[in-house]
Amino acid sequence: MIMFKNQIILLSLFFFPRTSLPAPMFSRNTISVWSILKKCIGLELSKITMPIVFNEPLSFLQRITEYMEHTYLINRACSLSDSVERMQAVAAFAVSAVASQWDRTGKPFNPLLGETYELTREDQGFRLVSEQVSHHPPVSAFHAESLIGDFVFHGSIYPKLKFWGKSVEAEPKGTITLELLKHGEVYTWSNPYCCVHNIILGKLWIEQYGTVEIVNHSTGDKCVLTFKPCGMFGKELHKVEGYIQDKSKKKLCVIYGKWTECMWSVDPQAYEAHKKSEKKGDNKKQKNEEPNGAENDDADDMPEVQETVSVVPGSTLLWRIDCRPAHSAAMYNFTNFAMSLNELEPGMEAFLAPTDCRFRPDIRAMENGNMDEASKEKERLEEKQRAARKQRAKNDEEWSTRWFQMGTNPYTGSQEWIYSGGYFSRNYQDLPDIY
Ligand SMILES: *[C@@H]1O[C@H](CO)[C@@H](O)[C@H](O)[C@H]1NC(C)=O
Ligand SMILES: *[C@@H]1O[C@H](CO)[C@@H](O)[C@H](O)[C@H]1NC(C)=O
């Protein structure tokens, strides 16, 4: 009898998230995107209705939860006593948080106003709650916390999408804040730009670019990371480079790598010396290089150059990406972490909020490979949302958010959505009926 009890306890301690979806994805080849998009150049993408085959079966709220895939890097930062090493771990976390975008060209579902998502991962030591707090413009707010009180990680994302003819660019609006509670440290940053190329012709591919500045608000120390645009010959494809500097702008260390692969740190002198010796070798090589693809007007092909990161002697590895599962390509290029996000385990219905994305019928139908139903359900939900908005306007009612409120971020002074707490007490009275 005692044996039996122990086994039950063991089972509930070791929950293994699923590692695959119920159905593979639908082929997109038969649809002409161009016929849909040619009328819309320059429009904001949220105003265009795209057929559901271009989606992936996740809500944007679930997609931003993927920032947490490498939570072990925050846990590492918490455990380090050296402040520069802590900043290195935080920088690796900031890069790893956008690594799941690699080859993910499916568009997540726009969350409905009032939609929520929660995720508790005891194995990784965190829980997260998010809410769609605004519809026009779309704003998603999230709050994650360590299960043992080591850190809080929060922010709000305003994905501003622009359609540029051949590509779609997502501007990363909103600040992300990480608080390491035991060290009394606060770091803030914003994500890089993300661009999906060749949405009409050619092979889809993703580029991230822009500068990400991670600021330590206790000291004014900074980590400046540049996500490089790929450039003419693709030499810079996926590269990220930067450094940590102190208040007096002294470079303390260099950080480099690729957001699709790995990140390293090294002493600034060693880095400069290595770069100089590389340049000498490079001058000889460059003459033979072909400007391949430069004359192709139809598609901006992803450059072929695929050399991996060349490691400077003396570097320390900060992070390396995990392999995606073998069936990933047939499943929207999801990582193992992404595969599990929409899983509805038996028993979960009893405690999830009724507004949780896992209950969205359109996403569930798409995940099961039932595209017609998914498409119908998506239309029905959007219509229901419009009707509810009209009704509110008629009654002169304002929408009120449930788990987040506008407030001032004490570290940046800016107006932000701040978690008001209480979600995990699971009082779901008066939640809106959005599905
Ligand atoms: C950040 O601020 C804390 C608190 O003042 C300080 O101890 C630490 O050295 C800083 N970290 C870095 C990486 O500069
Ligand atoms: C998955 O990755 C492959 C290989 O890069 C790419 O051709 C394909 O378009 C991607 N699929 C999705 C759904 O993004």
Side-chain angles (χ1 to χ4, degrees), residues 408-428:
T408 309
N409 182 327
Y411 311 106
T412 58
S414 57
Q415 284 297 104
E416 256 173 50
W417 289 97
I418 295 175
Y419 179 49
S420 28
Y423 176 88
F424 291 97
S425 313
R426 307 205 176 280
N427 173 3
Y428 299 145

Side-chain angles (χ1 to χ4, degrees), residues 83-84 87 185 216 218-219 221:
S83 69
V84 177
M87 178 68 109
E185 275 179 351
N216 177 344
S218 319
T219 55
D221 294 353

Side-chain angles (χ1 to χ4, degrees), residues 83-88 183-185 187 216-222 244-246 252:
S83 69
V84 177
E85 287 181 12
R86 275 201 298 282
M87 178 68 109
Q88 289 172 349
H183 296 284
E185 275 179 351
Y187 301 83
N216 177 344
H217 285 271
S218 319
T219 55
D221 294 353
K222 260 187 206 172
I244 296 175
Q245 67 177 30
D246 67 12
L252 304 175

Side-chain angles (χ1 to χ4, degrees), residues 145-297:
E145 60 196 20
S146 152
L147 294 175
I148 52 167
D150 273 355
F151 68 83
V152 196
F153 176 61
H154 55 97
S156 38
I157 310 284
Y158 312 47
K160 224 177 157 201
L161 300 183
K162 271 266 160 74
F163 172 49
W164 291 117
K166 287 196 271 188
S167 60
V168 172
E169 183 182 66
E171 186 188 336
K173 292 196 150 192
T175 306
I176 297 175
T177 303
L178 173 65
E179 304 180 30
L180 304 184
L181 301 174
K182 286 187 184 147
H183 296 284
E185 275 179 351
V186 179
Y187 301 83
T188 61
W189 68 90
S190 302
N191 281 333
Y193 279 76
C194 179
C195 186
V196 182
H197 289 275
N198 291 341
I199 50 173
I200 291 156
L201 275 171
K203 190 167 147 39
L204 290 163
W205 60 284
I206 287 191
E207 181 179 25
Q208 299 198 89
Y209 47 88
T211 303
V212 172
E213 259 190 29
I214 306 173
V215 182
N216 177 344
H217 285 271
S218 319
T219 55
D221 294 353
K222 260 187 206 172
C223 175
V224 183
L225 294 173
T226 306
F227 284 67
K228 304 216 168 169
C230 94
M232 269 294 262
F233 307 116
K235 282 201 92 143
E236 308 284 85
L237 186 63
H238 304 322
K239 272 193 187 164
V240 182
E241 232 174 68
Y243 49 86
I244 296 175
Q245 67 177 30
D246 67 12
K247 223 180 4 218
S248 66
K249 302 219 156 88
K250 180 172 183 283
K251 279 191 193 179
L252 304 175
C253 82
V254 169
I255 295 185
Y256 67 95
K258 288 186 178 178
W259 61 268
T260 49
E261 231 172 274
C262 56
M263 294 301 294
W264 299 82
S265 76
V266 72
D267 172 74
Q269 276 99 43
Y271 187 76
E272 288 310 321
H274 183 79
K275 267 212 136 165
K276 265 189 206 138
S277 69
E278 243 192 357
K279 265 219 177 92
K280 277 186 207 146
D282 233 35
N283 284 342
K284 285 178 219 142
K285 259 197 316 198
Q286 225 156 39
K287 298 224 164 72
N288 310 334
E289 234 167 70
E290 296 263 330
N292 59 355
E295 283 164 38
N296 184 351
D297 282 341

Side-chain angles (χ1 to χ4, degrees), residues 25 28 103-106 203-204 302 328-329 331-333:
M25 63 184 278
R28 295 175 181 164
D103 274 343
R104 290 275 292 281
T105 56
K203 190 167 147 39
L204 290 163
M302 179 167 77
S328 171
M331 295 183 174
Y332 314 91
N333 293 333

